[in-house]
Amino acid sequence: MKVIDIEKASVRELNQALHDQHVECTEREWEVTGVKGDHNLAVGLDEAISVHIKGHAGYYCAGMNKKANIVVHGNAGQGVAENMMSGSVRVVGDASQSAGATAHGGLLVIEGNAGARCGISLKGADIVVKGNVGHMSCFMAQAGTLVVCGDAGDALGDSLYETHIYVKGSVKSLGADCVEKEMRAEHVQELTDLLNRAGVDEDPAAFKRYGSARNLYNFKVDNASAY
Amino acid sequence: MCGIVGLYLKNPALESQLGALFEPMLISMTDRGPDSAGFAIYGDEVPDGWIKLTLRHHDLEYSWQALADKIKQTLSCDVDWFSNHCVAVFKVQAAAAAVENVIAEAGDDVLILSAGQSIEILKEKGLPQEIAAKFNLSGMKGTHIIGHTRMATESAVTMEGSHPFSTGMDLCLVHNGSLSNHNRLRLELERQGVKFVTENDSEVAAGYLTWRLREGDTLNEALKNALKDLDGFFTFTIGTRDGFAVMRDPIACKPAVLAETDDYVAMASEYQALTTLPGIENAKVWEPEPATVYVWERGQ
């Protein structure tokens, strides 16, 4: 295992060392110490390596991740795993706003709570939050899955496209065009698989499913007279 | 973008270290606000019947002694004062309005940065590190302190436009964000007799709270009303005589982190600013909810 102390090395040096693994992978296990809320830790990785970040991370941690498995042993600031393509990111503590924003693929697990706008504009990644999510989560989310084992804040799934949302607890309010939907066998299966992948022990039958009513998809002909 | 930091001590044993604990918090927010910085420190209270004013004069050679003599003669009262760089703290056994009148009549361009029994506001243009050094922040004692590092967007980079803004006796406000209805609101508040010295949007938020409190709102009510009447983005930290309050707008896109231990409650725009505090590794760390008023005060 290679340990990088970012009280000694810079974040730029850390990220360069991790990017170099894409050219020639010399080390699969990495640990980052001396972490004190630094921004942009382990961003843009493109190799199947494991990175353990020991401490609270700042903004955009593990952004644009490809293939790597990244664990934040603490809280994560805004935009953790934003635009992730593949691999996995696990936050042992809480995550701030916009966790998993625009992520295309991979798995984001947040063991604590996530702030506002979790999974905003999600494009295909899977997000599992063991705690609660804040307001406007999955705003304009297009594909992928959000699982919330706790409660969801206001305006869940506002202007939603085809992301699947599963919530075990209460939903403070649903956003425009987001509705509760029937939990069919294939959804229980999807949720069961995802909970297993995330290593989260919850009963899939206790969840409700939310999705798009698809009323915002098309131009309403009733509005034609406005032109 | 701006940075906000606040530190409220629960353990009185730390009061002699307040400035030393706070200085690295302020400096760590330089990335968020390199234009100007300021802080409001609470402590060293004057007794009832006295008023404490933080005054500023642009001329370092200005004679504070002459001003003190003038107040003493005009009001026939005791005056203690000390200066710190370009500001002076005056402790006067008289009513605030009477002292402010004497200062205005003296016509010396003395600015009143704060008034109360506990508060002192110090702020300047420049890097947080330079301002902390200028006022010897690390040597300051007190019960609680809030500070701000500014990256100006809405108005000019001036000392007057820097934070904290006084919002009444022992009250002040720091702001991260931008208000979109500040021009209209300023006109309305001016009609209510609230005075403004800058085009700054945050000063309007401060003036709004001044007005609501004058109308009889509690701090909590004033902040709840602010949620209705202020349009825009904000994370506010409000210093009070006994503690501080934190509130974010309903959208909550401006960041805020809180940390609490048995010894203190700390607030910052980013977690980075909290990492030098003792025991932060085991502190309860969380983000304040949107449109929610958080208050920590002595005696609660």
Side-chain angles (χ1 to χ4, degrees):
Chain A
M1 174 150 63
K2 177 132 173 107
V3 179
I4 294 187
D5 179 353
I6 54 160
E7 285 193 288
K8 298 190 180 101
S10 67
V11 171
R12 193 175 285 263
E13 286 166 333
L14 165 72
N15 284 330
Q16 189 61 56
L18 296 172
H19 294 171
D20 289 345
Q21 300 305 306
H22 175 60
V23 182
E24 183 189 0
C25 187
T26 55
E27 178 60 61
R28 294 273 174 200
E29 295 289 324
W30 295 74
E31 186 172 294
V32 185
T33 62
V35 178
K36 292 184 170 178
D38 308 77
H39 301 322
N40 310 320
L41 295 172
V43 295
L45 304 198
D46 193 2
E47 188 54 58
I49 57 175
S50 291
V51 181
H52 290 268
I53 294 168
K54 296 297 186 83
H56 299 314
Y59 294 179
Y60 312 124
C61 180
M64 302 176 282
N65 182 51
K66 237 175 170 180
K67 301 180 195 165
N69 298 307
I70 299 166
V71 182
V72 180
H73 296 267
N75 301 327
Q78 294 182 17
V80 64
E82 52 108 19
N83 216 57
M84 174 163 60
M85 303 305 285
S86 63
S88 74
V89 175
R90 178 177 289 269
V91 179
V92 173
D94 296 332
S96 182
Q97 64 173 320
S98 305
T102 73
H104 291 246
L107 173 67
L108 169 63
V109 181
I110 295 159
E111 297 192 359
N113 301 313
R117 294 172 276 275
C118 179
I120 184 172
S121 198
L122 192 67
K123 289 176 168 62
D126 296 316
I127 303 177
V128 178
V129 181
K130 281 174 87 170
N132 308 323
V133 295
H135 62 278
M136 296 294 276
S137 287
C138 274
F139 176 53
M140 296 190 85
Q142 295 134 55
T145 317
L146 172 68
V147 177
V148 182
C149 302
D151 303 330
D154 271 319
L156 177 71
D158 193 284
S159 308
L160 190 66
Y161 293 85
E162 291 303 309
T163 293
H164 294 181
I165 303 176
Y166 300 98
V167 182
K168 185 182 170 198
S170 66
V171 174
K172 199 167 176 197
S173 66
L174 292 172
D177 212 30
C178 182
V179 292
E180 187 182 337
K181 290 189 165 182
E182 183 194 359
M183 192 83 166
R184 296 192 299 270
E186 70 257 37
H187 303 117
V188 174
Q189 189 57 52
E190 176 182 62
L191 179 56
T192 304
D193 292 348
L194 189 47
L195 288 168
N196 285 339
R197 274 172 59 211
V200 173
D201 184 21
E202 292 280 359
D203 175 12
F207 287 74
K208 288 179 177 167
R209 180 169 76 101
Y210 301 88
S212 175
R214 303 188 178 103
N215 287 326
L216 299 177
Y217 273 30
N218 305 306
F219 180 75
K220 278 200 172 53
V221 73
D222 301 350
N223 295 326
S225 62
Y227 294 92
Chain B
M1 194 152 76
C2 294
I4 301 178
V5 278
L7 180 62
Y8 163 77
L9 298 178
K10 292 156 83 176
N11 179 358
L14 291 173
E15 287 179 10
S16 62
Q17 303 167 46
L18 181 68
L21 292 169
F22 183 75
E23 184 177 287
M25 296 174 66
L26 189 74
I27 291 171
S28 80
M29 289 293 95
T30 302
D31 288 355
R32 297 187 66 91
D35 296 339
S36 59
F39 51 90
I41 186 163
Y42 292 81
D44 183 27
E45 287 208 3
V46 295
D48 287 343
W50 288 67
I51 185 79
K52 179 157 87 169
L53 299 163
T54 321
L55 308 176
R56 183 185 186 277
H57 199 279
H58 54 82
D59 183 0
L60 280 172
E61 303 298 314
Y62 178 74
S63 173
W64 294 109
Q65 185 60 53
L67 182 66
D69 291 342
K70 202 170 289 172
I71 295 169
K72 211 179 279 186
Q73 282 160 16
T74 314
L75 302 176
S76 309
C77 65
D78 279 344
V79 178
D80 284 337
W81 68 274
F82 63 88
S83 65
N84 181 355
H85 196 69
C86 53
V87 301
V89 174
F90 272 53
K91 300 170 183 177
V92 186
Q93 194 176 12
V99 184
E100 285 167 12
N101 278 341
V102 178
I103 292 168
E105 278 164 21
D108 292 341
D109 294 332
V110 169
L111 273 174
I112 300 170
L113 297 179
S114 71
Q117 285 187 278
S118 179
I119 189 173
E120 294 169 27
I121 289 181
L122 299 121
K123 56 184 187 179
E124 284 294 325
K125 281 190 295 181
L127 289 170
Q129 187 160 23
E130 292 165 6
I131 290 151
K134 193 178 277 182
F135 293 120
N136 189 25
L137 170 58
S138 63
M140 289 188 179
K141 299 168 186 169
T143 52
H144 54 291
I145 183 166
I146 66 172
H148 186 269
T149 61
R150 181 168 186 234
M151 186 181 286
T153 52
E154 295 284 309
S155 59
V157 179
T158 59
M159 187 286 299
E160 289 83 354
S162 60
H163 304 223
F165 289 101
S166 171
T167 62
M169 299 292 271
D170 280 319
L171 280 169
C172 70
L173 168 134
V174 293
H175 172 210
N176 172 205
S178 57
L179 302 179
S180 42
N181 64 339
H182 66 102
N183 281 327
R184 171 61 62 84
L185 197 54
R186 187 185 292 109
L187 290 174
E188 288 171 13
L189 290 168
E190 280 171 343
R191 274 200 288 278
Q192 300 290 339
V194 180
K195 291 190 174 65
F196 296 96
V197 295
T198 72
E199 294 298 305
N200 188 290
D201 59 331
S202 309
E203 190 188 12
V204 175
Y208 177 85
L209 292 182
T210 306
W211 171 60
R212 285 312 320 159
L213 293 162
R214 203 183 66 199
E215 294 296 303
D217 278 8
T218 62
L219 179 63
N220 212 0
E221 288 165 346
L223 289 171
K224 291 259 167 72
N225 280 320
L227 281 173
K228 282 184 261 167
D229 289 337
L230 299 182
D231 187 14
F233 298 123
F234 51 84
T235 293
F236 290 136
T237 297
I238 296 100
T240 73
R241 184 174 167 189
D242 297 316
F244 69 61
V246 174
M247 185 175 76
R248 303 171 80 190
D249 70 75
I251 306 285
C253 70
K254 292 298 174 187
V257 181
L258 290 161
E260 185 165 13
T261 70
D262 289 342
D263 288 334
Y264 58 79
V265 178
M267 182 275 168
S269 296
E270 295 180 24
Y271 175 75
Q272 284 185 14
L274 307 176
T275 56
T276 48
L277 288 171
I280 189 68
E281 305 78 18
N282 301 314
K284 178 188 168 201
V285 177
W286 78 103
E287 286 189 344
E289 295 285 324
T292 305
V293 179
Y294 295 79
V295 182
W296 286 270
E297 288 194 317
R298 256 151 239 279
Q300 281 195 338

